[in-house]
């Protein structure tokens, strides 16, 4: 048996999504059967995959003062949030919409941190009314805004200041956030002044300090550099008489898409804890905001081959999923594994560009992939559980995909496929 591309057997990070003989299985269900039953494009998540990744964090946190806050932006489906809320996770949100999702999924507002570089008055008010753990503040001007909204509501606002540590996370430039050229955070040099202003504003209550340097980080060094900068500031700020209850060290831990070897949650937490202890800070409450590493490897996007097309230069496999369903390849040139749901014998394998039907040459899911394909075959894009559906759009008036959760041999529909009527809803025909 020849596999078109040999990835998933034993691929770390995919214990619940693997090939059994020629058949790609999501837990106990064949991917091709799911595609048949629910249609394509289809996002499929493994419950054991998500819960296993969450448990790895919980195990690493046990016995340490660590609070886990899942970054909702990675995958914000209610069913996914419910799984994490039931395991006692808190959440990191960046909009009133994400906050509403967390509350609808049964999340505890007191364990929610609200991040983001441009919170509106309405979002700040929603966060304060819900009773969030804190707002992660990104600028001096935002401090004034939060104080004003808190005064109007008559509620004190818990805040933590996000510092830009000017550390290179060594990842894709679009997902680096802790460099001084990025829009995020308060420059280190302004941090003491910002905390002094916080202490002076009557409606703010300082809770902590926050840093997030980027995403798909595969080395520990940048985290430790950022932690060192935070600890230097903690020392200075507390010497100025302002107590900090927690250190929020953000998210960003990478996953394996191809041959990356990111640290495990345990290695990440061990390294952070060792550095904290070395600096006499082992007692500090630490918050973490992982997103991708909780859900990324637990999901796939299933699609069907519509057309096989040869040009003078290339073989194209045009599938029914596109950049609007999964934006990562088009936006970051991200490499994501593509596997047939049912492997063929490989005799007709050739190098395909797997593309969607959207009218852009940037609309591709994978380039130069060795695959043995026929029209109507089902393909799975692996590691699509994070920043897949969450970034989907309706470009080309394409309804967004359905999402299902597999639990052993059972399957639960998390979100029905959008209809074209859904897309037209809210539009008004001209009457002039
Ligand atoms: N906390 C904050 C403040 C963040 O901005 C992010 C991600 C996270 C936590 C979670 O990071 P994670 O653990 O998921 O790496 N769409 C891109 C990734 C954008 C990440 C944005 N911020 C992608 O598909 O690669």
């Amino acid at each position: 048996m020849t596999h078109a591309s040999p990835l998933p057997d034993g691929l770390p990070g995919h214990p619940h999504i693997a090939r059994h003989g020629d058949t790609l299985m999501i837990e106990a269900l064949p991917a091709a059967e799911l595609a048949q039953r629910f249609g394509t494009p289809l996002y499929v998540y493994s419950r054991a995959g998500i819960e296993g990744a969450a448990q790895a964090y919980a195990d690493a946190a046990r016995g340490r003062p660590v609070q886990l806050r899942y970054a909702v932006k990675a995958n914000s489906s209610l069913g996914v949030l419910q799984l994490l809320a039931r395991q006692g996770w808190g959440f990191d949100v960046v909009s009133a919409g994400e906050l509403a999702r967390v509350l609808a999924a049964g999340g505890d507002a007191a364990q929610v941190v609200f991040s983001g570089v441009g919170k509106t008055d309405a979002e700040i008010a929603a966060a304060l009314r819900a009773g969030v753990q804190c707002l992660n503040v990104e600028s001096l001007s935002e401090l004034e805004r939060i104080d004003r909204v808190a005064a109007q509501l008559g509620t004190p606002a818990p805040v933590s200041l996000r510092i830009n540590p000017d550390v290179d996370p060594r990842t894709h430039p679009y997902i680096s956030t802790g460099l001084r050229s990025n829009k995020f955070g308060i420059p280190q040099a302004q941090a003491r002044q910002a905390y002094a202003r916080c202490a002076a504003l009557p409606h703010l209550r300082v809770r902590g300090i926050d840093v997030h340097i980027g995403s798909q980080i595969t080395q520990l060094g940048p985290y430790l550099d950022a932690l060192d900068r935070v600890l230097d500031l903690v020392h200075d700020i507390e010497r100025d008489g302002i107590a900090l209850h927690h250190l929020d060290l953000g998210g960003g831990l990478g996953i394996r898409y191809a041959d990356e070897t990111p640290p495990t949650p345990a290695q990440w937490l061990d390294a952070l804890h060792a550095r904290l202890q070395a600096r006499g800070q082992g007692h500090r409450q630490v918050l973490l905001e992982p997103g991708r590493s909780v859900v990324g490897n637990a999901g796939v996007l299933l699609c069907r081959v519509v057309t096989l097309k040869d040009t003078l230069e290339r073989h194209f496999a045009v599938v029914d999923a596109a950049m609007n369903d999964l934006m990562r390849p088009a936006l970051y040139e991200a490499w994501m594994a593509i596997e047939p749901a049912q492997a063929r014998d490989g005799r007709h394998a050739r190098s395909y560009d797997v593309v969607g039907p959207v009218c852009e040459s940037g609309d591709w899911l994978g380039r130069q992939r060795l695959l043995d394909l026929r029209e109507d075959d089902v393909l799975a894009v692996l590691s699509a559980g994070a920043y897949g559906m969450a970034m989907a759009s309706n470009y080309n008036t394409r309804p967004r995909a359905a999402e299902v959760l597999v639990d052993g041999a059972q399957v639960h529909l998390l979100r029905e496929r959008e209809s074209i009527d859904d897309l037209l809803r809210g539009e008004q025909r001209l009457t002039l």
Side-chain angles (χ1 to χ4, degrees):
M1 184 183 64
T2 323
H3 284 155
S5 54
L7 265 175
D9 282 323
L11 180 70
H14 293 100
H16 308 285
I17 298 169
R19 191 172 288 294
H20 296 201
D22 291 339
T23 304
L24 182 69
M25 304 286 288
I26 320 293
E27 299 198 16
L29 294 176
E33 251 179 62
L34 291 164
Q36 187 62 38
R37 178 161 163 206
F38 293 97
T40 47
L42 179 72
Y43 275 100
V44 184
Y45 311 120
S46 152
R47 177 175 186 165
I50 296 173
E51 290 184 337
Q55 193 58 47
Y57 272 102
D59 290 345
R62 187 164 306 122
R64 291 177 176 160
V66 173
Q67 302 176 31
L68 299 170
R69 304 287 176 258
Y70 168 68
V72 171
K73 63 171 77 71
N75 184 325
S76 54
S77 296
L78 290 181
V80 171
L81 301 183
Q82 277 181 300
L83 291 180
L84 293 162
R86 285 183 197 159
Q87 292 206 1
W89 282 59
F91 297 90
D92 165 52
V93 303
V94 293
S95 68
E98 286 190 353
L99 176 60
R101 282 186 171 278
V102 165
L103 299 178
D108 175 10
Q111 295 188 67
V112 169
V113 298
F114 199 123
S115 304
V117 76
K119 301 173 206 73
T120 63
D121 285 11
E123 287 178 319
I124 294 165
L128 295 179
R129 281 204 199 92
V132 299
Q133 180 174 16
C134 69
L135 292 149
N136 288 337
V137 183
E138 301 237 6
S139 65
L140 282 161
S141 120
E142 192 176 44
L143 280 179
E144 310 289 331
R145 179 184 290 275
I146 295 172
D147 185 67
R148 183 164 43 72
V149 176
Q152 282 159 7
L153 291 182
T155 333
V159 294
S160 174
L161 270 52
R162 176 169 175 183
I163 304 305
N164 183 320
D166 194 21
V167 161
D168 183 355
R170 292 172 237 157
T171 183
H172 190 285
Y174 283 13
I175 53 177
S176 295
T177 52
L179 288 167
R180 71 177 152 198
S181 55
N182 297 137
K183 69 180 172 184
F184 298 98
I186 297 172
Q188 267 192 100
Q190 288 175 12
R192 283 173 80 177
Q193 177 201 348
Y195 274 98
R197 185 67 190 137
C198 250
L201 286 169
H203 304 283
L204 302 185
R205 302 285 179 271
V206 175
R207 289 283 177 265
I209 187 164
D210 172 40
V211 70
H212 171 78
I213 55 174
S215 197
Q216 186 55 16
I217 297 170
T218 54
Q219 297 161 23
L220 292 172
Y223 281 119
L224 296 175
D225 292 347
L227 176 57
D228 275 335
R229 310 242 161 125
V230 167
L231 289 176
D232 291 347
L233 277 173
V234 168
H235 179 260
D236 292 347
I237 292 160
E238 293 201 332
R239 213 179 35 197
D240 291 341
I242 299 169
L244 297 169
H245 301 279
H246 71 241
L247 314 182
D248 181 343
L249 301 177
L253 194 66
I255 61 170
R256 185 161 197 176
Y257 287 100
D259 55 1
E260 303 91 333
T261 50
T264 61
Q267 288 166 338
W268 186 28
L269 265 75
D270 286 351
L272 293 176
H273 199 67
R275 181 61 57 97
L276 283 162
Q277 277 184 321
R279 296 194 51 173
Q281 301 292 320
H283 59 285
R284 292 276 178 188
Q285 284 288 327
V286 169
L287 269 64
L288 295 178
E289 303 171 354
R292 187 193 314 265
S293 52
V294 181
V295 289
N297 282 142
V300 301
L301 172 62
L302 300 183
C303 57
R304 205 175 274 282
V305 177
V306 178
T307 302
L308 294 177
K309 166 171 174 171
D310 293 334
T311 65
L312 293 179
E313 297 250 322
R314 300 275 169 106
H315 304 296
F316 288 102
V318 186
V319 298
D320 63 1
M323 63 189 288
N324 72 295
D325 300 297
L326 180 64
M327 206 177 176
R328 303 193 67 256
L331 190 57
Y332 315 114
E333 300 196 22
W335 191 95
M336 300 174 74
I338 300 180
E339 285 289 317
Q342 201 62 46
R344 297 186 177 279
D345 61 14
R347 271 182 300 161
H348 297 98
R350 47 178 67 168
S351 177
Y352 281 103
D353 281 10
V354 180
V355 301
V358 159
C359 308
E360 305 243 1
S361 292
D363 177 28
W364 53 272
L365 299 177
R367 292 196 282 215
Q368 292 172 33
R369 304 299 176 87
L370 191 64
L371 292 162
D372 182 352
L373 295 178
R374 306 282 184 286
E375 291 185 357
D376 295 325
D377 280 0
V378 174
L379 291 174
V381 185
L382 303 188
S383 303
Y387 304 110
M389 185 64 180
M391 293 173 75
S393 78
N394 295 120
Y395 188 37
N396 280 202
T397 306
R398 291 171 50 83
R400 285 180 305 161
E403 290 177 290
V404 298
L405 182 76
V406 171
D407 182 1
Q410 292 182 11
V411 58
H412 176 81
L413 180 64
L414 292 180
R415 184 197 313 241
E416 61 189 32
R417 183 175 306 287
E418 267 178 338
S419 67
I420 293 182
D421 281 347
D422 289 336
L423 301 194
L424 301 190
R425 191 164 52 86
E427 291 193 43
Q428 312 269 339
R429 279 182 197 79
L430 281 181
T431 51
L432 304 176

